[in-house]
Amino acid sequence: MKKYKNIIKVAIDSPAAAGAGTQAKLISKHYNLFYLDTGKIYRLIANIKIKNPLQYNYKLIQKRISKLTMGDLNNKGLLSDEVGTMASIISKDIKIRKLVHAFQIRCAYHPPKKYNGSCLDGRDIVTKIVPDADFKFFITANTKTRALRRYKELKGLKKIISFEDVLKSIKNRDKSDYNRKISPLKKTKDSVLINTTKHTKRSCFLKIKKIMDKKINA
Ligand code: C5P
């Protein structure tokens, strides 16, 4: 595996189901970067709230986050629309955001030694978590395309849900994520816009790779 002189930090922000996770995984694999899907952390907290509404409190979440492993984030139960919707509610809470902040910083700036760096995706990665990232991307796609992709993904997981409900939920999440007071989703001036609506996964990745290779090999 190729080694680079300095650690490479990639930061990606995107609205729901825009293809950021797919691109982040491709980037991480290609450059051997440690990948963190930060949405999964908010989903994990949301799942605790859904499953144990009466026990849910900051102390419990703090304890849970202090023991968080990557394996915890692979739970397929976190992928449901119900969990995603709850994640966009609990993620507006500044105390919750503060509890997960340190974990994300550690992953971004101190990835395990075997990696060449890190790649994080979420809503506030460029603006709050890794503002000095070497590469900053804002990945998006039109609302219907994103809803269709999420609908197919949920169908693949055998979830019973209609396209209309997925579309409604994507629109609600966008409204919440773009307009919230704390860490709203926004594209910074120095982020490269990647619109995946009319492009294949491969062609989007090649565009990103071209940008990254140019700087890495300069
Ligand atoms: O990316 P994903 O759809 O899994 O994220 C679920 C929710 O978690 C988002 O709609 C958003 O409200 C919240 N989130 C966030 N900040 C991040 C990642 C996700 O607020 N960095």
Side-chain angles (χ1 to χ4, degrees), residues 63-169:
K63 205 169 150 197
R64 196 69 189 73
I65 297 300
S66 70
K67 293 181 188 155
L68 189 63
T69 66
M70 297 314 287
D72 297 331
L73 303 180
N74 289 333
N75 171 4
K76 286 244 187 305
L78 301 182
L79 298 174
S80 75
D81 202 50
E82 186 195 7
V83 173
T85 299
M86 181 58 89
S88 77
I89 295 170
I90 59 97
S91 66
K92 286 191 212 172
D93 183 337
I94 188 154
K95 283 193 181 162
I96 290 291
R97 300 199 78 83
K98 280 188 178 157
L99 290 178
V100 302
H101 195 260
F103 181 83
Q104 298 174 77
I105 299 284
R106 213 166 43 244
C107 292
Y109 291 88
H110 305 285
K113 290 266 180 294
K114 65 175 179 174
Y115 294 101
N116 291 323
S118 61
C119 177
L120 273 67
D121 72 0
R123 304 292 186 281
D124 61 343
I125 307 304
V126 176
T127 51
K128 281 274 158 65
I129 309 295
V130 202
D132 65 343
D134 306 282
F135 299 99
K136 303 175 184 182
F137 297 102
F138 188 88
I139 299 186
T140 190
N142 74 34
T143 318
K144 271 199 177 153
T145 304
R146 290 190 284 124
L148 194 61
R149 287 179 189 159
R150 181 50 53 89
Y151 174 68
K152 286 182 181 164
E153 191 187 348
L154 292 170
K155 282 278 156 195
L157 291 165
K158 307 266 181 284
K159 305 273 182 204
I160 300 163
I161 193 159
S162 69
F163 172 73
E164 286 67 32
D165 282 345
V166 176
L167 182 63
K168 203 167 134 196
S169 133

